[in-house]
Amino acid sequence: VGQQVGCGSARMNITFRIAGICGAAFGLSATALAAIGSHALAPSLDAQDLRRYGLAVGLMFVHALALVAIGALARTAIAGLLLTLSSIAMVIGVLAFSGSLLARVLFDSSSMLAPAGGIALMIGWLLLAIWFFGAQHSSR
């Protein structure tokens, strides 16, 4: 595993913090929202809103775990710009996608940011895959 020097150390620290803090916050939020949804909201939501709510919470959970993993990678590997951008794209994606769907269900507002959030999530995963591809070749 590579050592951190110079600019890489600052990037590792930023990536570690962004990914770790946001991942933990999304995990906490998704857990709370799942409990609220199953106990308080489920009886009053129609099937379409219940599906939207479940999708928003489920994707928040998945990306919470992904962000915590990225934070761990940034702590133990050479973070690199791609890893930092991947975590930022995932944070933006969760906020836009899950936030938009939750706002639709809870406040009857538009979910027009959901597609942009979905694209940001896909970009985050793509950047993570590219980082892994490059990390694999540069580690030897």
Side-chain angles (χ1 to χ4, degrees):
V1 184
Q3 288 185 323
Q4 296 293 322
V5 292
C7 184
S9 292
R11 186 172 295 125
M12 179 275 300
N13 193 34
I14 290 168
T15 305
F16 171 74
R17 290 188 185 280
I18 288 171
I21 291 169
C22 290
F26 289 157
L28 171 66
S29 298
T31 302
L33 288 166
I36 291 166
S38 66
H39 296 293
L41 295 178
S44 63
L45 295 179
D46 65 25
Q48 186 73 346
D49 279 345
L50 195 56
R51 185 189 67 77
R52 283 186 188 109
Y53 192 88
L55 181 60
V57 172
L59 278 177
M60 189 181 291
F61 265 126
V62 167
H63 289 89
L65 295 174
L67 285 164
V68 168
I70 290 171
L73 284 171
R75 190 74 166 161
T76 61
I78 296 173
L81 181 60
L82 287 174
L83 197 59
T84 302
L85 293 174
S86 173
S87 64
I88 291 169
M90 286 190 189
V91 169
I92 291 168
V94 167
L95 292 173
F97 185 87
S98 293
S100 186
L101 289 182
L102 291 169
R104 167 76 183 208
V105 172
L106 299 174
F107 307 113
D108 197 30
S109 66
S110 171
S111 59
M112 70 180 191
L113 291 179
I119 290 169
L121 292 171
M122 288 185 271
I123 289 170
W125 285 107
L126 177 62
L127 292 172
L128 184 60
I130 293 168
W131 179 85
F132 270 110
F133 181 78
Q136 180 183 22
H137 295 296
S138 66
S139 66
R140 298 210 181 251

